[in-house]
Amino acid sequence: MTVETFAPGKLILMGEHAVVYGHPALAMAVDRGLHVKLTLRPGPTGLDQPFADDPRLHRALLTVLPATGVCVRIESTLPIGRGMGSSAALAVALARGSLTLEGSDINDAAVNERAFAVERIFHGSPSGIDHTVIMRGGAVLYRRTASDPEFETFALPELPIVVIDSGSAGNTADMVKAVADQRSTNEPYLEQMGALLLSTRAALLGGDIPTIGQAWHENHWLLRAIGVSTPVLDEIVRTAVGAGAAGAKLAGAGGGGVVIALCPEPEPVLEAAAQRGWTAFQVRCAAPREGH
Ligand code: PMV
């Protein structure tokens, strides 16, 4: 028996890190993602070919699969460990695949429980925004609370987004811990991030590019203030804006990973990135999953 599942990646458009402390964040599923193929066969459960050099990967598989009997193949069009949701896409694809293998009902609660368990292997105590938007597709405004998270699906207009990869990975758990270690110093910046998203909401809904660009610019410098940017990420932001982007920010945990740039004219930004040796590509929002 073979089961194949796919889950999209994601980008956090505004509010990463602040979301850990109960402030709102906005994420969207993207038109790239990750395929998982699970095949029943004798022997220990494991990958049929190397995927990523990450010791957490095997533990992640065994969180939802039996210790023996499953051969796993993973194929991804997402850059790995760059803030585009590769671990959460793996978590959601594995959750759906493992439920299918068992013949269990694939409902949101069951997928959420398994995907969150896998995400905890990778990230410690994540807010849950990544696997939530990946499960649902589209765009999600998310807020962590003391009990269940609150979220609403957001109908975003088409935004001209270019992703620029810094070429290095950040470690989400380490970045979240670094922010937590300076909680009192960082709190005002985190609050400003939450307020900035709420005040940009109408512009996001209306596709008001200059206002969203300015908000991304401010969000990036707030992320810099809490210490999660790097000189390369700052340089990418400056390069993108210098090439005509309306605004740009790091997306995800930082310490490496990607920058997103809002580019009514993508070509000059793609060219400027290529000249500096950074991989850059356009992304679109993935459609909401049926029923969400
Ligand atoms: O590394 P990423 O892109 O999955 O970013 C996680 C987002 C954070 O807000 C930094 C952490 C979290 O759990 O929400």
Side-chain angles (χ1 to χ4, degrees):
M1 180 185 184
T2 294
V3 169
E4 294 193 45
T5 50
F6 171 81
K10 60 87 208 183
L11 285 167
I12 299 184
L13 300 186
M14 293 182 73
E16 52 274 89
H17 286 288
V19 69
V20 172
Y21 300 94
H23 302 293
L26 177 68
M28 80 174 197
V30 298
D31 57 351
R32 288 179 172 231
L34 182 144
H35 282 273
V36 168
K37 186 169 164 188
L38 305 175
T39 308
L40 293 181
R41 60 112 172 81
T45 291
L47 294 171
D48 71 339
Q49 56 183 36
F51 174 67
D53 183 17
D54 187 334
R56 298 168 298 185
L57 194 50
H58 191 63
R59 271 194 293 141
L61 299 183
L62 296 191
T63 304
V64 292
L65 295 171
T68 56
V70 188
C71 173
V72 183
R73 170 165 294 206
I74 306 171
E75 280 167 8
S76 175
T77 53
L78 296 168
I80 306 303
R82 301 287 210 276
M84 288 197 69
S86 54
S87 67
L90 176 64
V92 170
L94 275 178
R96 290 208 184 101
S98 61
L99 288 163
T100 309
L101 269 189
E102 290 166 21
S104 302
D105 187 26
I106 306 177
N107 56 55
D108 280 353
V111 174
N112 180 63
E113 191 185 332
R114 287 190 182 199
F116 213 165
V118 174
E119 271 287 85
R120 287 193 189 99
I121 298 286
F122 285 107
H123 299 317
S125 176
S127 64
I129 185 171
D130 289 4
H131 79 273
T132 300
V133 70
I134 284 172
M135 274 178 64
R136 308 181 86 81
V140 169
L141 185 66
Y142 185 94
R143 194 194 285 267
R144 186 182 209 177
T145 73
S147 53
D148 288 338
E150 292 166 2
F151 50 84
E152 63 184 280
T153 304
F154 217 78
L156 282 182
E158 180 90 11
L159 294 175
I161 298 175
V162 169
V163 173
I164 306 158
D165 188 344
S166 69
S168 71
N171 181 307
T172 300
D174 289 350
M175 300 315 290
V176 169
K177 182 173 181 310
V179 174
D181 287 346
Q182 303 292 327
R183 174 84 192 264
S184 54
T185 316
N186 289 332
E187 192 57 49
Y189 301 122
L190 297 164
E191 264 172 36
Q192 284 179 58
M193 287 181 212
L196 181 63
L197 169 53
L198 295 180
S199 67
T200 312
R201 189 185 162 123
L204 284 157
L205 275 173
D208 172 352
I209 301 289
T211 306
I212 302 168
Q214 177 59 28
W216 283 15
H217 180 75
E218 286 171 30
N219 198 160
H220 181 77
W221 296 101
L222 289 167
L223 287 161
R224 190 169 186 271
I226 64 167
V228 300
S229 190
T230 66
V232 175
L233 293 171
D234 293 345
E235 179 64 19
I236 295 175
V237 166
R238 276 193 293 268
T239 303
V241 172
K249 65 179 276 289
L250 74 86
V258 296
V259 163
I260 51 173
L262 199 58
C263 305
E265 304 261 358
E267 279 313 319
V269 176
L270 291 165
E271 262 170 44
Q275 270 170 17
R276 303 292 307 269
W278 298 315
T279 302
F281 49 89
Q282 291 175 264
V283 290
R284 304 169 77 137
C285 187
R289 205 176 151 83
E290 220 174 295
H292 291 99

